[in-house]
Amino acid sequence: VSENEEQHARRAEAQALGPLARRYKNIAKAIMEDPMLFYDEIFAIEPLSGRIWAKSKMAVTITFTPKAALNYQCLAYCSIVGRADRMPLTLRGQGIGPKAAFSYDELDVGDIDVESVHHYEVNLINQGDIAVNFELVSNASPFGSRFVLTPCEGRLEVGGQCTITVEFSPDLLGEFHETFYWDLVGSTSSIPLTFKGHSVSPTFHFDFDRISFGVVSYGFLNSKTLTLTNTSEVTMRFALRIPGDGRFAQKEFDVIPSRGTLLPNCSQKVQIDFISVNVKTYDLCLVVDLEGVGQELASIPIQARCAVPAVSFDPAEALEYGEIFVRYPAHQTLVLNNASALPAKFQILPQEETSRSLAEFEPDQATGSVPPASSHVVTFRLTSHKLGPLQIPINIRVLGHNIVQQITLTANSIGPIVSADPVVLDWGNARCLEPVSRCVTITNSSVIDASVKAFMKAKNSLWSIAPKSLQLRPYESAQIELTLTIDEAMKMSDLVHIVVDEGKDCNVTVKAKGIGTPVTCKESLKVIDFGTQYTTQTISREYLIENRGQKPRKLVWLPESVAEPKSAKASKDSRDSKDNSAERPPVFTVTPQTLVLDAKSGYRFQFQAVSSEPGQVSEAFVCQEFAGNDRKGTTVFRAELLGNFVAPLLQLSAQTLSYRFMWEKGTPIQPMGQPLHIQNTSPLDVKFFLKVHPPFHVSAESLLLRPQEAAEVRVEFDPAFKVDRMCGVAKQKLVVHYQDHPQKDHVSLVGEVVFPNLQISDEKVDFGSVLNETTKQISITMENPHPLPVNYQWMFVEECEPEHDEDASRGESGLMGSTDRTGSLGGTGIIAAGPAASSPARATALYQSEDRFEDLDRTAGSGFQLRPRSASAPAPAPPSTLAAVRKDRPQVDINQIFDILPIMGTLEPGASQTVTFTYFGLSSQKCEAVAVCSAEGGPEYEVALKGQASKLEFKLDKSALEFGEVPFNEVLEREIWITNTGRVAYYFSFNLSGVSRPFVLDASPVTGLVNPDEKQRIVVRFRAGIPDEVTEAALLEVAHFEPTRIVVHGRGIFPGLLFSSPS
């Protein structure tokens, strides 16, 4: 086993033993703290501890509380301080239980009737010195369960007694000896109570000792009556039955009543009905059963004999009906003769199913009886279902005989007899398509209903029949109407078939000659009125024109002015009509203008009306027919076309709807609405659609107005569409489009939204670079050009990113470097110059307040400071924690870098305000922030702030200029370069006041500005002026630094000649 597993096992053992050790430690502590004083459930000692002074006594009380009548013993020890052995004390006691006894221990009740109820009383007496709680022990024996003892439990005080009532009702016969035991609470013994006696049955008798029916006829009812008497003193429940009789439907005897209850000394009439269904001798008995006592306690003999008489029929073999009508009932009688002294029963068996389809017979009685020495007549009704001869068997049975007698019903079934008058019918000349009717009389000469159907021989006959079917009652006459609609100018003939259902058919010949034309239209074409319609809309009417003839025909529709013969006046009118038609298109047209209509066909001609101009227009058209090779047409229709054309016209309550929303503090922005009343002044219904674009809305997009009907719609303007809360004007048009009409109407909609708005002159403020620990201010202008006063407030949204130069990176640290807008104290801080705005985009970064312009705590020197009070924002860490986390980046609030004055205020309409931004440059830091001006009820205006702080740094490429030998009267130049290695521009200047002689040194430029990361070239001009060593010093002053000494050295020389004279 590895060392790690051993360590794991030791740790597991320690974890398991630890809780056990703590548990048993607590048990041991409880044992040590227990004084171990005497305790027993029966004996008690008082007091259990104490102090006995020298030569004194103490009384100790011992209480004995037995719980049962038993002997109890207990051993107690007395521990004495200073004595090694304890003193034993034996405690003994005997518990005495309760004592009670009954006034008698045993009761003999003698003979009692079964089911009778008896009551007894016995006293329970308390003979002891304590109260007795008693309870009955249940006895579930057959007789014991019939005893009811009340009360079955209770309590007896000392010297008291209780009367116990006993109710007994036996339901069995025989002797009984029942003992009931009573338990006494606290006693080990029970007290008994015994009842004994004998249960006997009740007595009864009949008034007859036997029942004799004698000789009976098969199937007939025979009755006998006797009396049953109860001679005992108890109620008797009896049941009567006849053993050996059949069961259910096979029973021949019926006892009425078959069971019941007899009171003491009362009687009951009993009737026995007997219907014999077996030819035999009967020897049975009637037995009596007593419920709860026993069965067949008494019996009476029953005797009878059954016989069957002989019956004959007249006629004996066949029952003749002769000729009968189908489905018409016919009647015949059958005689049954009984010559014996006993009555006879007969039964006519149901007809066989195989013969029911031919005919059905029905006797006036299916069963019956024939008296002794007498006759009985049965009438049969026969109804046939089919035509022709019939033979139907009848089966008759006499009850008691095994042989069935058969008799045959014979008949001849016939149908109705129908005739027609006349048998030839001539129409003569008949105009095409005009119905002409004639009548034919149909007569039923039979005693049954006749079903008659009439139809034409030809499949597509020109004659029609009404009605086509008849139902004629016996000896009834009716007429059928034959209608001729001839479709051609020629002779026609046909044959009418009259079919009699189940009878003989007959025929009628018809004929006629046609004249005229078969072209027709169901609707009238005399006047086609298009009514009042809108212009530019095409209105159509369709009319079905049919050629019901047997030949094709050519139909041509023409204006009546074109179709008529042309006279001189007609020619002039035609030319005028053509001139007018050239000016505008025709109003009415018929499509198609020409059509060949085949035989037995129709076509829907379309009459159209369309007018571009309003007014009433009418024109007549004629339809000419050309049949076969005809060259001259025949006018078949003349149609007058009428129309009144109007333009849709709506009366609007206003042509322009103007809205102006003025923002108000504390009032939610709700849509503004105005009613627009629209009335239809046209003579027709107008259905139109209202179209409008947001931010306008209309309550109904479509309306249907009856003539002179008016409606009101609500046009709403939603100022909330300006989610940026900038003032503005929305202009739209509510366009009314008419259904199926090009006309459009407009309502101008103008919605103006006025929020508290400002105009800020600049959106960016760039402070540039400033010297560390210095301040710079820049001002902008803020104006209110709108009619609402503006409550404004400035706040900061900081975005800082340190940018170090080479020296600052070695030992200086700037602001926090995170650039995200998280609102946390450890990263980029979001410092509000006032309460936070309610913009959703800044919900986590800005202070949430119900009143955005409450009093604020002023931070020293730089306006107001607020932190986000969001529950999710991290709380600032303790100073020690922050110092440990950000040793190199001390926390600086943005409002210690930028400041805004004024921070908040109210700008009245038309007023302006100068806002000053101040930037304080921390050491070597570059800061960018966003200043937000929140207008109450209006938008937020962002101004980007940018500034950088740095120390001044410069670098000279040289601090000494060596010109060497220079002609004393010449000027030489040397360059000096100043480099700005910092982030702040600075000024420099050459101070030549310390030069000993004028014009020795000169510099260009003497002064100037060096921007960050730029170099400045300075040209120094030197002129010695004397032929000698010249050393001069100039001071270069850079910003606030100590002047830098620039040493200039040169030696002035001049040209010379050395002449030597000859010696």
Side-chain angles (χ1 to χ4, degrees):
V1 180
S2 64
E3 182 179 355
N4 292 334
E5 293 179 352
E6 291 180 356
Q7 292 179 357
H8 180 72
R10 286 195 295 270
R11 284 197 299 269
E13 183 180 358
Q15 291 177 357
L17 294 178
L20 291 175
R22 288 192 297 271
R23 178 181 179 184
Y24 286 107
K25 180 179 179 181
N26 294 333
I27 296 175
K29 181 179 178 181
I31 294 174
M32 295 300 296
E33 294 176 355
D34 189 359
M36 303 296 288
L37 298 177
F38 175 81
Y39 172 77
D40 190 79
E41 293 182 352
I42 305 301
F43 297 95
I45 301 176
E46 183 67 28
L48 291 173
S49 62
R51 176 177 293 182
I52 302 177
W53 299 96
K55 298 186 183 297
S56 63
K57 298 180 181 179
M58 175 178 286
V60 177
T61 302
I62 299 175
T63 304
F64 175 50
T65 308
K67 294 184 178 181
L70 300 172
N71 292 323
Y72 295 90
Q73 179 175 340
C74 180
L75 182 62
Y77 292 91
C78 180
S79 177
I80 301 174
V81 177
R83 183 172 178 176
D85 297 332
R86 298 180 298 173
M87 296 175 57
L89 175 63
T90 301
L91 305 178
R92 294 187 182 91
Q94 182 181 1
I96 300 175
K99 294 182 180 180
F102 287 105
S103 56
Y104 55 85
D105 295 336
E106 184 177 331
L107 178 62
D108 188 354
V109 298
D111 293 338
I112 59 177
D113 293 325
V114 67
E115 298 293 335
S116 61
V117 180
H118 301 268
H119 295 85
Y120 312 98
E121 290 185 353
V122 61
N123 293 329
L124 178 62
I125 304 171
N126 185 359
Q127 298 177 345
D129 297 330
I130 61 175
V132 175
N133 292 321
F134 62 90
E135 183 178 1
L136 174 65
V137 179
S138 61
N139 186 345
S141 64
F143 280 102
S145 61
R146 304 296 295 176
F147 284 86
V148 179
L149 290 86
T150 307
C152 60
E153 60 181 3
R155 178 182 177 88
L156 289 178
E157 299 299 333
V158 178
Q161 65 179 8
C162 175
T163 299
I164 296 176
T165 302
V166 180
E167 180 180 330
F168 177 49
S169 176
D171 59 352
L172 301 175
L173 296 175
E175 294 184 358
F176 60 89
H177 189 282
E178 299 294 333
T179 302
F180 297 91
Y181 293 93
W182 298 76
D183 288 341
L184 304 180
V185 179
S187 176
T188 57
S189 61
S190 300
I191 55 177
L193 178 60
T194 303
F195 295 89
K196 64 180 181 178
H198 185 245
S199 177
V200 297
S201 64
T203 59
F204 60 90
H205 68 86
F206 287 99
D207 57 347
F208 292 101
D209 56 355
R210 64 186 291 117
I211 300 173
S212 177
F213 286 93
V215 179
V216 298
S217 182
Y218 184 93
F220 283 86
L221 173 64
N222 300 274
S223 299
K224 293 290 183 179
T225 303
L226 65 160
T227 302
L228 174 63
T229 303
N230 181 9
T231 58
S232 62
E233 300 298 327
V234 296
T235 301
M236 179 182 72
R237 294 193 297 274
F238 66 90
L240 303 177
R241 58 189 176 87
I242 301 175
D245 191 13
R247 300 183 61 184
F248 305 111
Q250 301 297 326
K251 291 182 64 175
E252 296 177 293
F253 292 89
D254 189 13
V255 181
I256 304 173
S258 61
R259 59 180 58 248
T261 301
L262 272 179
L263 298 178
N265 300 314
C266 292
S267 300
Q268 173 68 52
K269 291 287 185 180
V270 178
Q271 178 178 333
I272 301 176
D273 293 339
F274 172 46
I275 299 177
S276 176
V277 294
N278 295 293
V279 180
K280 67 176 184 177
T281 300
Y282 295 85
D283 189 5
L284 302 173
C285 62
L286 174 66
V287 299
V288 182
D289 299 334
L290 296 183
E291 294 183 7
V293 178
Q295 294 185 347
E296 299 185 5
L297 299 180
S299 64
I300 297 178
I302 298 176
Q303 296 177 349
R305 185 173 68 85
C306 178
V308 180
V311 177
S312 61
F313 300 94
D314 184 22
E317 295 181 357
L319 191 61
E320 296 287 346
Y321 279 84
E323 192 173 71
I324 63 174
F325 287 100
V326 66
R327 289 181 299 278
Y328 187 80
H331 298 82
Q332 282 288 8
T333 59
L334 178 67
V335 179
L336 286 75
N337 300 312
N338 180 12
S340 65
L342 293 176
K345 275 192 174 182
F346 67 91
Q347 179 183 8
I348 301 175
L349 300 181
Q351 183 180 354
E352 297 177 358
E353 291 296 331
T354 56
S355 63
R356 283 183 179 272
S357 60
L358 300 176
E360 290 185 11
F361 66 84
E362 182 181 356
D364 58 352
Q365 55 181 14
T367 60
S369 62
V370 182
S374 181
S375 299
H376 184 78
V377 178
V378 179
T379 301
F380 287 88
R381 184 178 67 179
L382 176 63
T383 304
S384 64
H385 297 307
K386 291 187 178 182
L387 302 176
L390 300 175
Q391 289 186 354
I392 308 298
I394 301 175
N395 295 319
I396 303 175
R397 186 179 69 178
V398 177
L399 300 186
H401 287 286
N402 296 327
I403 300 175
V404 177
Q405 182 72 27
Q406 187 176 82
I407 297 176
T408 303
L409 300 181
T410 61
N412 183 27
S413 178
I414 62 174
I417 302 172
V418 176
S419 61
D421 183 47
V423 294
V424 176
L425 195 57
D426 190 359
W427 265 258
N429 292 333
R431 186 169 295 276
C432 288
L433 303 184
E434 290 185 5
V436 181
S437 299
R438 298 285 188 272
C439 292
V440 175
T441 302
I442 308 298
T443 303
N444 179 14
S445 303
S446 57
V447 296
I448 61 173
D449 293 346
S451 178
V452 179
K453 292 183 180 180
F455 60 91
M456 304 305 298
K457 178 180 179 181
K459 182 177 181 182
N460 297 318
S461 178
L462 300 177
W463 280 268
S464 61
I465 303 174
K468 292 184 178 181
S469 60
L470 292 173
Q471 196 71 25
L472 298 177
R473 295 182 178 277
Y475 304 104
E476 181 184 8
S477 296
Q479 289 185 343
I480 60 173
E481 187 178 36
L482 300 178
T483 302
L484 170 64
T485 306
I486 199 165
D487 59 359
E488 280 296 342
M490 57 186 298
K491 292 183 178 181
M492 302 289 182
S493 64
D494 204 344
L495 190 66
V496 181
H497 289 294
I498 300 176
V499 179
V500 181
D501 189 16
E502 297 179 339
K504 186 178 180 181
D505 300 339
C506 58
N507 298 323
V508 176
T509 302
V510 293
K511 57 185 177 178
K513 181 181 179 181
I515 58 174
T517 178
V519 177
T520 184
C521 180
K522 293 182 179 180
E523 302 176 72
S524 177
L525 294 177
K526 292 182 179 180
V527 177
I528 300 177
D529 190 356
F530 289 92
T532 302
Q533 302 293 340
Y534 285 120
T535 58
T536 72
Q537 291 186 359
T538 300
I539 303 93
S540 298
R541 298 282 190 272
E542 287 189 353
Y543 292 91
L544 177 62
I545 297 179
E546 298 175 274
N547 177 15
R548 298 184 181 178
Q550 300 178 12
K551 301 177 181 179
R553 283 168 170 79
K554 179 181 179 181
L555 301 181
V556 179
W557 282 95
L558 295 172
E560 189 176 32
S561 59
V562 176
E564 290 179 352
K566 298 182 180 179
S567 60
K569 181 179 178 180
S571 299
K572 183 176 180 299
D573 294 339
S574 178
R575 287 194 298 272
D576 294 341
S577 176
K578 291 182 180 179
D579 293 339
N580 294 333
S581 63
E583 294 177 0
R584 65 176 186 175
V587 175
F588 302 103
T589 57
V590 181
T591 305
Q593 186 176 1
T594 302
L595 177 70
V596 176
L597 200 57
D598 293 334
K600 302 299 180 183
S601 65
Y603 191 84
R604 289 189 177 274
F605 285 85
Q606 191 174 57
F607 295 80
Q608 294 182 340
V610 57
S611 176
S612 59
E613 297 179 1
Q616 290 188 352
V617 183
S618 65
E619 188 175 2
F621 279 75
V622 295
C623 178
Q624 294 184 348
E625 173 194 47
F626 297 87
N629 296 323
D630 294 344
R631 294 186 177 182
K632 184 178 180 180
T634 303
T635 300
V636 292
F637 301 110
R638 182 185 183 277
E640 184 75 20
L641 277 64
L642 306 176
N644 182 25
F645 299 92
V646 296
L649 182 61
L650 292 179
Q651 183 178 351
L652 303 176
S653 60
Q655 296 299 321
T656 302
L657 296 179
S658 300
Y659 305 83
R660 189 180 191 192
F661 170 77
M662 302 286 288
W663 179 85
E664 185 177 348
K665 182 178 180 181
T667 302
I669 300 177
Q670 299 290 341
M672 306 172 67
Q674 293 187 32
L676 180 63
H677 186 80
I678 305 174
Q679 183 177 7
N680 178 16
T681 58
S682 305
L684 297 176
D685 295 350
V686 176
K687 184 173 184 181
F688 55 92
F689 304 92
L690 302 177
K691 302 294 183 181
V692 68
H693 297 287
F696 297 95
H697 305 277
V698 65
S699 60
E701 294 184 355
S702 63
L703 289 174
L704 175 63
L705 296 181
R706 306 296 181 188
Q708 303 304 319
E709 184 181 0
E712 185 177 274
V713 297
R714 183 173 178 83
V715 183
E716 292 187 347
F717 168 64
D718 187 6
F721 85 101
K722 292 292 289 182
V723 294
D724 57 357
R725 299 216 169 193
M726 298 295 293
C727 296
V729 178
K731 294 183 179 180
Q732 297 285 348
K733 286 186 180 294
L734 175 64
V735 183
V736 181
H737 295 270
Y738 296 94
Q739 187 179 30
D740 300 330
H741 201 278
Q743 180 176 326
K744 294 182 181 179
D745 292 332
H746 305 276
V747 177
S748 299
L749 304 177
V750 180
E752 182 181 1
V753 179
V754 180
F755 286 102
N757 279 192
L758 297 171
Q759 287 185 356
I760 299 178
S761 59
D762 293 308
E763 296 182 354
K764 294 182 180 180
V765 176
D766 190 354
F767 291 92
S769 298
V770 301
L771 189 62
N772 287 340
E773 307 300 330
T774 61
T775 301
K776 184 177 181 179
Q777 292 183 343
I778 297 178
S779 298
I780 64 173
T781 302
M782 186 168 59
E783 298 180 356
N784 180 9
H786 300 288
L788 289 178
V790 180
N791 295 328
Y792 67 88
Q793 177 183 349
W794 286 92
M795 63 193 73
F796 287 120
V797 178
E798 175 193 357
E799 293 183 0
C800 292
E801 181 178 356
E803 183 175 331
H804 305 286
D805 54 20
E806 294 178 359
D807 295 336
S809 63
R810 290 193 295 266
E812 298 180 357
S813 61
L815 296 177
M816 290 63 74
S818 175
T819 60
D820 59 339
R821 301 186 181 187
T822 62
S824 63
L825 295 175
T828 299
I830 298 178
I831 311 300
S838 60
S839 172
R842 306 178 186 275
T844 60
L846 303 179
Y847 180 73
Q848 305 297 320
S849 174
E850 294 180 359
D851 189 353
R852 297 176 54 196
F853 293 88
E854 295 178 349
D855 294 335
L856 306 172
D857 296 331
R858 180 172 295 277
T859 305
S862 59
F864 299 95
Q865 171 180 331
L866 285 180
R867 294 288 184 184
R869 296 199 298 185
S870 172
S872 61
S880 60
T881 305
L882 290 176
V885 174
R886 310 190 185 282
K887 295 179 181 179
D888 57 341
R889 294 185 180 182
Q891 177 182 356
V892 179
D893 289 336
I894 190 64
N895 56 8
Q896 295 181 9
I897 301 173
F898 294 101
D899 195 11
I900 306 173
L901 287 177
I903 191 102
M904 62 182 352
T906 302
L907 204 58
E908 295 298 330
S912 63
Q913 174 71 49
T914 300
V915 181
T916 302
F917 292 88
T918 303
Y919 171 61
F920 177 74
L922 297 181
S923 63
S924 302
Q925 299 298 319
K926 177 182 179 181
C927 291
E928 293 182 1
V930 176
V932 177
C933 179
S934 176
E936 183 182 15
E940 294 180 347
Y941 303 90
E942 292 187 353
V943 177
L945 304 180
K946 182 178 181 181
Q948 182 176 1
S950 179
K951 65 182 180 179
L952 292 179
E953 292 181 329
F954 70 96
K955 181 180 180 182
L956 290 176
D957 61 341
K958 58 179 75 71
S959 60
L961 297 176
E962 180 63 45
F963 284 87
E965 293 181 351
V966 180
F968 75 97
N969 60 348
E970 291 185 5
V971 178
L972 293 182
E973 295 181 353
R974 293 287 189 272
E975 292 181 349
I976 296 178
W977 289 90
I978 302 177
T979 304
N980 187 351
T981 58
R983 295 291 182 266
V984 182
Y986 54 81
Y987 289 92
F988 70 92
S989 64
F990 259 91
N991 187 355
L992 301 177
S993 61
V995 177
S996 60
R997 292 177 294 114
F999 306 111
V1000 175
L1001 288 178
D1002 190 12
S1004 178
V1006 178
T1007 62
L1009 176 67
V1010 182
N1011 291 317
D1013 296 326
E1014 291 186 0
K1015 295 181 179 181
Q1016 178 64 50
R1017 175 175 172 268
I1018 301 176
V1019 178
V1020 178
R1021 290 184 292 274
F1022 173 70
R1023 185 177 63 181
I1026 59 174
D1028 197 359
E1029 294 283 344
V1030 178
T1031 300
E1032 296 289 345
L1035 298 178
L1036 177 60
E1037 297 176 353
V1038 177
H1040 62 280
F1041 293 102
E1042 290 294 332
T1044 301
R1045 193 167 180 266
I1046 306 297
V1047 178
V1048 179
H1049 179 265
R1051 188 163 68 91
I1053 60 173
F1054 61 93
L1057 296 175
L1058 180 62
F1059 297 96
S1060 62
S1061 61
S1063 57

